[in-house]
Amino acid sequence: MKLKVCGMKYQDNIEHVAALQPDYLGFIFYEKSARHFDTECILDLPKSIKKTGVFVDADIDFVIEKINKHNLQAVQLHGKESSKYCKQLKSESVEIIKVFSIKDEFDFSVLNPYEGIVDYFLFDTKGKLPGGNGYTFDWNVLNNYPSTTPFLLSGGIGLNQIDDIKKFQRSKASKYCYALDVNSKFEIEPGLKNIEDIKKFKNNLISKIMNYNVNEKGYYGEFGGAFIPEMLYPNVEELRQNYLKVMAEPDFKKEFDQLLKDYVGRPSPLYFAKRLSHKYNTKIYLKREDLNHTGAHKINNTIGQILMAKRLGKTRIIAETGAGQHGVATATVCALMGLECIVYMGEIDIARQAPNVARMKMLGAKVVPALSGSRTLKDATNEAIRDWINNPVNTHYIIGSAIGPHPYPDMVTRFQAVISEEIKWQLKEQTGKKNPDYVVACIGGGSNAAGTYYHYLHEENVGIIAVEAAGLGVDSGESAATSVLGKEGIIHGCKTLLMQTADGQITEPYSISAGLDYPGVGPMHAHLCKTGRAEFIAITDDDAMKAGLKLCELEGIIPAIESSHALAIFEQKTFNPDDVVVLSLSGRGDKDLQNYIDYFKI
Ligand SMILES: *Cc1c(COP(=O)(O)O)cnc(C)c1O
């Protein structure tokens, strides 16, 4: 849920509120309001904050003039503005928020003319003047909300409403609640906001109200779910009904932990990178997933899933792979358990990734080429799904990242959560600190990131940084920066952010690192992005490669190019000298040697 702070008036105060990074700041252009904004210009606010002009039945030219003058990104209309009026304003490329006031009941049919025209509705309490009355209306009225247009909840929201908001979160209507709009309850006087109270409210939203875990229906906010062909339903449903039960069994836990310890080599060290820290004048700790058996974090998930498959009585394992890393991790655990293993791989990828194909074969897996479409990862996925439909009884499909239909993203996240579980006690042991200031991970589908963040999602003082691949540059057309370029769509059975053309065809992504070369992100990360809980940073090929080499030189560690992307953030973002930054070193660079050689002409 986003936060809008409305009724800003004084320059200093605006700056202080902006520093708390709300999603919207509202400026009231209505003379009769005590919060009338009559200053000449709005400060240069961070791009992430949308400047919103609030109007009451104003002349449309007046509104347009203010949009241009103050560079507004949103317009909030509090009067009797018609749908035609809204449509006209829409051509100014601003978000349109249309306000409706509610008393004890509300006739939702008045929304109809505005559907498809406005971006958001805002529901406020009916009072003497438009806005800023300080009273909440009965939110139960929204139980009958018939629309799917997201709305802002407004009217007298203050610190005292935290519990009510929490309760509201469980209601049906909350699914469409896009943001909370606060104003008078956070004021010292009209237009002057109390910074400490807003800070408290925002932190409470993160720790008490926002849920970053999956809900019973398989959603992270609006993302996730299970969008699958009907023929796949029994397979996915069997897994959904059993995965939590199985994971909670003491025997399962014991076997999982034992294998992680004796076979994978966990716990992986948390290493204080002294020379790297010195260079960037902050405290950098590397979570050494690169030291796991098979060289990356992926094995945590495949161990978990093969044990799950066995508990469900499956004898045959299928997987899809792009670069071959997940294929190798799957073939490894199948050999370990003596189960049949079929890995689908695009024909092009088979040619590009010969060493991994050889590894899979040595481990006893059958590698089946996907010959359709672009003959890459998505086609391999289609083949795997087709196989699963045909073999519903004896086969388990091991998905390799925190993606796929529910329950996969949650199941994979829980298996990878061992990463942050270990960080917790390791950090305490080494520094005495309970929490780091930041956790950082690269994101392909998002499994190492999900595992690294998991135990910190609701710790309001831990910053979450997600690093995606910008390829040749975010605007180059050769990129995998999903949070910037992605739009809502469905891929691999879940609703998430996805790079796609205007008519919804999935765009072929590009990154120098095979593991980040994916057109979507897991639904949890889409939610972290949309809610602003995580900061997303995109890193180019060049910057990643340089950061990878720097780690070699400063710490004697050759990282996977995926992990090099995460390392590159220190060139882009400045941390405080006292900040403890824990970074997931997701894998080792052996597999990328040829890439490094070619790039640096070693
Ligand atoms: C596969 C891979 C990734 C990306 O996958 P996620 O699911 O996003 O973690 C990152 N690093 C390495 C080393 C990988 O092999």
Side-chain angles (χ1 to χ4, degrees), residues 295-298 325 400-402 442-449 515-516 560 562-563 586-588 591:
H297 65 287
K298 286 195 172 71
Q325 294 302 111
S401 189
C442 65
I443 297 207
S447 69
N448 91 89
L516 304 185
E562 290 84 359
S563 319
S586 54
R588 69 178 81 128
K591 69 178 176 67

Side-chain angles (χ1 to χ4, degrees), residues 206-278:
I206 289 179
S207 63
K208 299 215 178 82
I209 292 175
M210 287 304 298
N211 178 18
Y212 297 104
N213 292 124
V214 80
N215 68 17
E216 323 77 66
K217 299 209 167 68
Y219 278 86
Y220 301 83
E222 65 197 273
F223 301 107
F227 297 81
I228 47 173
E230 200 176 322
M231 312 235 301
L232 214 54
Y233 181 78
N235 312 29
V236 175
E237 183 58 12
E238 182 190 20
L239 193 60
R240 189 188 71 79
Q241 285 189 6
N242 289 292
Y243 82 110
L244 289 175
K245 229 182 319 182
V246 170
M247 285 179 77
E249 284 167 11
D251 270 3
F252 180 92
K253 274 190 160 142
K254 198 167 150 214
E255 200 178 352
F256 183 54
D257 291 347
Q258 193 83 41
L259 283 171
L260 288 185
K261 176 167 171 280
D262 299 332
Y263 187 71
V264 176
R266 302 202 74 94
S268 68
L270 181 69
Y271 166 67
F272 175 58
K274 198 170 161 200
R275 279 168 36 90
L276 193 69
S277 298
H278 184 255

Side-chain angles (χ1 to χ4, degrees), residues 34 94 151 170 194 208 241 300 314 405 434 455 463 474 494 548:
V94 286
F151 63 82
R170 290 195 287 270
N194 183 327
K208 299 215 178 82
Q241 285 189 6
N300 304 327
K314 310 292 175 182
K434 176 170 174 261
H455 290 282
V474 169
C494 67

Side-chain angles (χ1 to χ4, degrees), residues 553-574:
E553 290 164 359
L554 289 176
E555 299 289 347
I557 300 170
I558 303 177
I561 298 177
E562 290 84 359
S563 319
S564 297
H565 282 74
L567 289 160
I569 64 160
F570 295 107
E571 290 286 342
Q572 286 205 2
K573 187 177 163 79
T574 309

Side-chain angles (χ1 to χ4, degrees), residues 207-489:
S207 63
K208 299 215 178 82
I209 292 175
M210 287 304 298
N211 178 18
Y212 297 104
N213 292 124
V214 80
N215 68 17
E216 323 77 66
K217 299 209 167 68
Y219 278 86
Y220 301 83
E222 65 197 273
F223 301 107
F227 297 81
I228 47 173
E230 200 176 322
M231 312 235 301
L232 214 54
Y233 181 78
N235 312 29
V236 175
E237 183 58 12
E238 182 190 20
L239 193 60
R240 189 188 71 79
Q241 285 189 6
N242 289 292
Y243 82 110
L244 289 175
K245 229 182 319 182
V246 170
M247 285 179 77
E249 284 167 11
D251 270 3
F252 180 92
K253 274 190 160 142
K254 198 167 150 214
E255 200 178 352
F256 183 54
D257 291 347
Q258 193 83 41
L259 283 171
L260 288 185
K261 176 167 171 280
D262 299 332
Y263 187 71
V264 176
R266 302 202 74 94
S268 68
L270 181 69
Y271 166 67
F272 175 58
K274 198 170 161 200
R275 279 168 36 90
L276 193 69
S277 298
H278 184 255
K279 165 143 182 64
Y280 292 109
N281 195 23
T282 188
K283 299 200 175 92
I284 303 170
Y285 288 79
L286 302 177
K287 182 59 173 162
R288 300 289 308 273
E289 294 301 299
D290 60 315
L291 295 176
N292 293 340
H293 177 44
T294 69
H297 65 287
K298 286 195 172 71
I299 191 88
N300 304 327
N301 168 47
T302 53
I303 293 264
Q305 285 203 49
I306 198 112
L307 293 179
M308 180 67 62
K310 282 198 357 171
R311 293 295 190 289
L312 298 177
K314 310 292 175 182
T315 55
R316 184 174 172 272
I317 297 295
I318 56 171
E320 90 291 334
T321 195
Q325 294 302 111
H326 173 56
V328 170
T330 303
T332 300
V333 296
C334 287
L336 175 71
M337 295 294 166
L339 295 192
E340 186 187 353
C341 180
I342 294 113
V343 179
Y344 291 95
M345 193 169 182
E347 194 182 30
I348 300 233
D349 289 334
I350 289 181
R352 287 197 287 211
Q353 310 286 346
N356 276 338
V357 176
R359 283 185 187 107
M360 285 183 262
K361 286 183 175 164
M362 282 186 76
L363 293 162
K366 188 172 157 207
V367 181
V368 179
L371 305 171
S372 63
S374 57
R375 292 172 290 152
T376 56
L377 178 62
K378 72 176 163 50
D379 312 291
T381 306
N382 291 341
E383 292 299 330
I385 289 173
R386 199 162 303 154
D387 179 314
W388 207 21
I389 288 174
N390 291 329
N391 299 280
V393 179
N394 68 345
T395 299
H396 175 73
Y397 177 15
I398 299 190
I399 292 183
S401 189
I403 51 169
H406 179 64
Y408 277 101
D410 186 46
M411 181 172 67
V412 174
T413 296
R414 285 168 186 264
F415 288 140
Q416 292 291 1
V418 64
I419 298 173
S420 48
E421 196 182 303
E422 288 174 4
I423 295 172
K424 282 217 123 160
W425 63 260
Q426 289 172 319
L427 193 71
K428 185 95 200 333
E429 203 173 271
Q430 290 183 38
T431 68
K433 275 184 77 136
K434 176 170 174 261
N435 286 334
D437 296 288
Y438 294 91
V439 282
V440 184
C442 65
I443 297 207
S447 69
N448 91 89
T452 305
Y453 307 157
Y454 188 76
H455 290 282
Y456 300 112
L457 289 170
H458 298 96
E459 299 279 344
E460 70 235 44
N461 295 321
V462 179
I464 292 178
I465 298 177
V467 186
E468 33 181 30
L472 302 183
V474 169
D475 301 319
S476 67
E478 297 291 328
S479 159
T482 312
S483 83
V484 191
L485 303 170
K487 289 196 194 64
E488 212 169 271

Side-chain angles (χ1 to χ4, degrees), residues 108 111-118 121 145-149:
F108 285 101
L111 305 179
N112 291 343
Y114 299 90
E115 293 285 0
I117 294 172
V118 305
F121 295 125
Y145 187 60
S147 169
T148 54
T149 302

Side-chain angles (χ1 to χ4, degrees), residues 526-542:
H527 183 51
L528 291 176
C529 177
K530 189 103 190 247
T531 55
R533 175 68 182 100
E535 177 183 0
F536 277 69
I537 298 178
I539 296 293
T540 61
D541 287 359
D542 286 339

